[in-house]
Amino acid sequence: MVTQFFSLAPLTQTSILSFIILLLGLAGVLWMLWVKPMPKVAKSASLGILLVMIGV
């Protein structure tokens, strides 16, 4: 069995900024879900789906 190594291309400035904007957008949605008055079951389900999307 031969071990293979693949070098990854460095991230460009645009890709780094896009990733930061994505994280800020998800944090904004999380904050909105946190402060919005919702039933406890709906809030738990929404937060659970968001956490799966974030990958926690």
Side-chain angles (χ1 to χ4, degrees):
M1 182 96 186
V2 176
T3 304
Q4 296 181 355
F5 294 98
F6 299 99
S7 60
L8 300 175
L11 294 175
T12 63
Q13 184 71 22
T14 306
S15 61
I16 292 172
L17 289 176
S18 296
F19 184 67
I20 290 172
I21 296 296
L22 174 69
L23 289 179
L24 288 174
L26 288 174
V29 171
L30 179 64
W31 180 75
M32 291 291 289
L33 286 174
W34 195 265
V35 298
K36 184 177 179 180
M38 296 170 64
K40 188 171 176 114
V41 174
K43 187 177 279 195
S44 298
S46 298
L47 290 174
I49 291 169
L50 188 64
L51 288 176
V52 169
M53 286 176 52
I54 293 173
V56 174

